Amino acid sequence: MRPSLRIVIAEDAVLLREGLVHLLERFGHRVLAAVGDGPALLAAARQHRPDLVITDVRMPPGQTDEGLRSARLLQAEQPGLAVLVLSQYVEQTFADELLDDRRAGVGTGYLLKERIGDVEEFADAVTRVAAGATVVDPDVVRQLLARRRDPLDQLTPREREVLALMAEGRSNAAIARRLVVTDAAVAKHIASILQKLDLPPSAPDDHRRVLAVLAYLRA
């Protein structure tokens, strides 16, 4: 059973904004405010102090990165605030900025809006981000991997597949189901990946499995 979350939404497209409200309430969440621009997002989140902010990247008044900048400011003001960013396209610079600022134990997500069409997957992403996980859209992961192809030459094709799923925030069991292999095989691949990427064994598991991998890809 999914937990009931207190959520603030920022999306300037009215139909999508109302659709998100309906969808989230359908899964038992409470939408405290649904707004259409950056300043309104700041005001609503400061008033309600939600568990999770879901925001578009580009919003009025400038239609540049108002949603992302507002979310980052709110996280600085409200430690522990989870943020799920939605985007119409893969915007690698914005993804990099969001993930670079990601704090340990604080949920962060970057999804394309088309993922909302898969209702169960989107609902799962909302829950995982609110619980402190990092969730990155598969298309963003693929482009990050493509940009860092040379340093990953030491990985086998299967290890690259596992790495991409790790970067999406998938558990060992979820990776095993996706690749139709055993949990033991996934654990073996992950151990090999972490060794080849020279990630410190003393780092928290979240950093080793997701954040350190993404940081390495962006290095």
Side-chain angles (χ1 to χ4, degrees), residues 143-203:
Q143 292 203 25
L144 288 172
L145 286 169
R147 289 196 314 170
R148 296 292 179 255
R149 183 63 64 191
D150 290 343
L152 299 177
D153 283 345
Q154 60 189 316
L155 302 184
T156 67
R158 176 61 85 181
E159 287 171 348
R160 288 178 181 171
E161 289 182 295
V162 172
L163 176 60
L165 292 170
M166 287 171 59
E168 291 176 29
R170 303 295 178 180
S171 67
N172 284 20
I175 294 172
R177 288 193 298 271
R178 180 72 65 87
L179 299 180
V180 194
V181 297
T182 65
D183 287 2
V186 171
K188 182 177 179 180
H189 286 310
I190 291 175
S192 177
I193 290 168
L194 296 178
Q195 182 179 19
K196 289 178 179 179
L197 299 188
D198 195 27
L199 299 177
S202 60

Side-chain angles (χ1 to χ4, degrees), residues 7-18 20-21 24 31-45 50 52-61 63 65-71 74 82-88 113 116 122:
I7 300 173
V8 167
I9 297 171
E11 166 60 54
D12 64 321
V14 177
L15 290 179
L16 178 56
R17 184 169 70 238
E18 294 305 314
L20 284 169
V21 172
L24 292 166
V31 178
L32 306 173
V35 301
D37 58 65
L41 168 58
L42 291 174
L52 172 70
V53 164
I54 299 177
T55 180
D56 192 359
V57 172
R58 300 178 183 273
M59 289 196 303
Q63 291 294 351
D65 63 344
E66 283 81 357
L68 179 61
R69 285 192 287 107
S70 296
L74 289 169
V83 170
L84 175 56
V85 173
L86 302 177
S87 180
Q88 187 69 41
K113 291 182 180 180
I116 300 172
F122 177 70

Side-chain angles (χ1 to χ4, degrees), residues 6 45 49-53 71 74-75 78-83 106-108:
R6 302 168 66 254
R49 302 189 70 85
D51 304 311
L52 172 70
V53 164
L74 289 169
Q75 284 188 313
Q78 302 179 30
L81 174 64
V83 170
V106 179
T108 301

